[in-house]
Amino acid sequence: MYSKPIVMLDFETTGLSPDHGDRITEVAALRIEAGRITDRYVSLVNCGVRIPPFITGLTGITQKMVDSAPPASEVVPQLVEFIGGDMLSAHNASFDEKFLNAESARAGLAPRHLGPVCSLKLARRVFPELGSYKLGTLCGSLGIRFKGTAHRAEADAEVAAEVLLHIARHLGQRYGYAEVAPELLMSVNKLAAAKVHAFLSKAGA
């Protein structure tokens, strides 16, 4: 499995970009150690913004739910402390890291995490034969069962963590890795898909 802890992160948000004023509405961060999820930080977040009807329709997160949630000034420092200096991962990691950095900056904080490792990019490179890498479809292709509601932070983070664990098992079975360093995943993320097999075969030898 993985030689060091990895924290799988998922945000639900009011939109696509913090640069356009979008904010987080829910967060889940799950720590992966020793081949399983060992700890988690999950919370709705009150950023003092209106929730667009489209977002409520997609996620089920209502205005009432966030209005009664802990404020971002409380949640974000707890989240940054929970992640610490571990390797960060997310499915479409650039999206989640962008919001993490923006919310941290609002709180006057500087995240210390390593990475990130993008589980979406990683799945594309390790399983190039699959037709879709959207989280729900990918889980179906890999035989991973959704345990909660899609487009809620904890459920999405949980299945993304299971994708990462599935990839570790695959690397062990196919390439002989007894342990997988998170840094190896970052290297695979940066490779063209056509070069991944040769790289993993050499690195695992």
Side-chain angles (χ1 to χ4, degrees):
M1 283 300 167
Y2 293 110
S3 59
K4 302 173 188 175
I6 301 175
V7 176
M8 180 60 71
L9 178 69
D10 189 85
F11 285 121
E12 300 304 327
T13 68
T14 61
L16 297 176
S17 174
D19 295 336
H20 297 154
D22 294 314
R23 302 294 302 278
I24 60 173
T25 59
E26 189 177 41
V27 60
L30 279 57
R31 179 167 285 107
I32 302 167
E33 296 177 285
R36 62 189 181 91
I37 296 166
T38 60
D39 200 5
R40 63 186 67 208
Y41 179 84
V42 181
S43 183
L44 287 161
V45 190
N46 185 352
C47 287
V49 296
R50 302 302 299 174
I51 307 301
F54 167 75
I55 295 298
T56 296
L58 178 67
T59 67
I61 297 172
T62 66
Q63 190 69 50
K64 184 177 181 179
M65 290 167 66
V66 298
D67 285 348
S68 60
S73 60
E74 176 183 322
V75 172
V76 174
Q78 292 175 352
L79 173 64
V80 171
E81 182 179 358
F82 178 86
I83 297 169
D86 287 341
M87 182 69 71
L88 188 72
S89 183
H91 204 71
N92 192 12
S94 61
F95 174 88
D96 294 280
E97 188 182 37
K98 181 169 55 177
F99 274 95
L100 175 62
N101 289 339
E103 294 291 349
S104 297
R106 282 178 178 269
L109 299 171
R112 299 182 291 110
H113 64 268
L114 303 175
V117 170
C118 180
S119 58
L120 188 153
K121 288 182 179 178
L122 194 62
R124 280 179 175 157
R125 285 154 177 75
V126 176
F127 306 116
E129 71 280 2
L130 300 182
S132 172
Y133 299 90
K134 290 182 179 179
L135 192 54
T137 308
L138 177 63
C139 288
S141 299
L142 299 179
I144 297 168
R145 184 171 63 87
F146 242 106
K147 297 178 182 178
T149 304
H151 302 297
R152 292 298 302 268
E154 187 172 17
D156 285 357
E158 186 132 19
V159 293
E162 292 297 335
V163 167
L164 215 56
L165 289 167
H166 185 97
I167 288 172
R169 290 190 292 270
H170 173 79
L171 296 182
Q173 292 165 4
R174 183 165 184 184
Y175 299 102
Y177 288 93
E179 282 190 326
V180 177
E183 293 80 4
L184 178 78
L185 304 184
M186 290 185 64
S187 296
V188 173
N189 266 181
K190 296 173 184 177
L191 291 173
K195 297 182 178 180
V196 169
H197 176 69
F199 172 80
L200 289 172
S201 296
K202 183 178 180 180

